[in-house]
Amino acid sequence: MKKFIVSIMFALSASLMTTTAMASGGVELEDAKVDIHNQPSLQRGAKYYVNYCMGCHSLNFSRYNRVAADLGLTEEQVAKNLIFTRDADGELEKPGALMKNGMSQKQSAEWFGAPPPDLSLVGRSRGSDWIYSYLKAFYVDPTRPLGANNTVFPNAGMPHVLWELQGWQEKHCTKGEGEHAVEHCELKLTKAGSMTPVEYDQTVRDITNFLTYVGEPANLHRSTYGIFTLLFLVLFAVVAYLLKKEYWKDVH
Ligand code: HEC
């Protein structure tokens, strides 16, 4: 029996490892260290997102005012800092609107080779480590139509939109000696951007944090519900016990 359990656990962990490796395309991902309870980080992430990503990637399942409430922002702050998209009449969107953009799927597919997907659920489908590593993995590649490639998502259609902040990296590969030597590649920053690498990492972490929150907004409150549920169960157990004692007192 013990052997059986051990072999099942082994099979499970092996399959988990392969899925993780497959999800990252074999590239090692960095730990994003996101914390959706860090509100200032979420606020910065939302600001970067609307400035640098929203033009191409909508968040069709989110509304501005829900994001505002969750991030501790007033509707005025949202209208001033987050809303840049316009409705069909050319008016700026209202805080109750969904976070859509005017990007045409067909046209963008022609421009980038693939349409920029809606990112409402990317925090769940790709995971935060993937997003974090992806945004750090763009490098100069003159063979690509937009001059950039990505080690986490090879030949991605997305340009390196944060290049002004990060600067440009180049890929350097070295191959060890011998017939079966594996090639080892790393990215080196060759042209500095407006941020230091530490600042850039934090920016990318803020964006990733925001996308992780957007993927499952209820997570923000779930742990509080859990505590209340447990408290309720404890109180209910006391009441049930007293009731049981009351019912049975004449029987014995
Ligand atoms: C100029 C348009 C454009 C901008 C701006 C842009 N992206 Fe993209 N992005 C794309 C395109 C196009 C793809 C699809 C790439 C492909 O499939 O080859 C993509 C893909 C992605 C993916 C992978 C989605 C998936 O599951 O396949 C993520 C994550 C992503 N973008 C995040 C971002 C973030 C975060 C920003 C802002 C910092 C951003 N993008 C800004 C065009 C853009």
Side-chain angles (χ1 to χ4, degrees):
M1 186 64 189
K2 211 166 155 196
K3 229 173 160 185
F4 177 67
I5 294 177
V6 169
S7 56
I8 285 200
M9 280 174 68
F10 183 75
L12 274 179
S13 57
S15 67
L16 196 72
M17 265 149 63
T18 9
T19 11
T20 326
M22 264 160 47
S24 64
V27 181
E28 233 173 81
L29 299 180
E30 274 186 69
D31 183 356
K33 299 199 189 82
V34 288
D35 171 13
I36 56 165
H37 296 288
N38 181 347
Q39 213 172 51
S41 161
L42 288 182
Q43 292 175 352
R44 289 191 303 266
K47 203 180 85 194
Y48 287 124
Y49 190 85
V50 293
N51 280 295
Y52 289 99
C53 320
M54 221 12 217
C56 290
H57 296 287
S58 53
L59 290 177
N60 284 339
F61 300 161
S62 296
R63 289 184 191 277
Y64 288 103
N65 52 2
R66 164 78 196 259
V67 169
D70 285 345
L71 268 55
L73 299 169
T74 64
E75 290 208 352
E76 288 84 64
Q77 283 172 317
V78 170
K80 225 167 93 199
N81 297 315
L82 295 187
I83 302 185
F84 301 117
T85 51
R86 291 176 184 274
D87 62 15
D89 302 327
E91 298 276 324
L92 277 178
E93 292 279 16
K94 303 280 176 299
L98 289 169
M99 297 178 75
K100 290 177 183 280
N101 62 15
M103 176 68 88
S104 134
Q105 290 284 306
K106 194 164 156 274
Q107 223 167 31
S108 56
E110 278 166 25
W111 292 336
F112 307 113
D118 181 88
L119 294 185
S120 305
L121 295 175
V122 75
R124 287 206 255 168
S125 60
R126 295 284 200 182
S128 44
D129 293 351
W130 191 92
I131 303 172
Y132 178 73
S133 308
Y134 171 59
L135 293 175
K136 287 181 63 178
F138 284 94
Y139 65 93
V140 180
D141 183 353
T143 65
R144 296 292 304 155
L146 298 169
N149 208 332
N150 192 288
T151 51
V152 173
F153 187 171
N155 300 336
M158 177 170 142
H160 182 16
V161 295
L162 299 174
W163 68 272
E164 278 174 319
L165 311 181
Q166 185 189 26
W168 281 103
Q169 303 185 111
E170 281 177 29
K171 187 163 138 179
H172 291 275
C173 294
T174 44
K175 208 166 175 197
E177 302 279 304
E179 211 182 311
H180 302 292
V182 275
E183 202 176 38
H184 176 74
C185 296
E186 57 180 1
L187 298 179
K188 282 204 183 108
L189 194 69
T190 47
K191 191 167 175 289
S194 62
M195 289 183 168
T196 64
V198 175
E199 286 166 345
Y200 182 72
D201 286 1
Q202 186 56 47
T203 301
V204 170
R205 178 168 296 119
D206 293 339
I207 297 174
T208 308
N209 204 10
F210 175 67
L211 284 175
T212 310
Y213 145 75
V214 161
E216 189 142 29
N219 253 352
L220 275 184
H221 309 291
R222 191 163 290 156
S223 45
T224 332
Y225 297 152
I227 292 170
F228 277 115
T229 311
L230 287 178
L231 271 177
F232 169 76
L233 286 177
V234 170
L235 281 177
F236 183 75
V238 173
V239 173
Y241 176 72
L242 292 176
L243 201 65
K244 178 225 161 220
K245 263 179 89 172
E246 184 65 25
Y247 279 170
W248 286 84
K249 79 173 180 243
D250 300 333
V251 179
H252 293 299

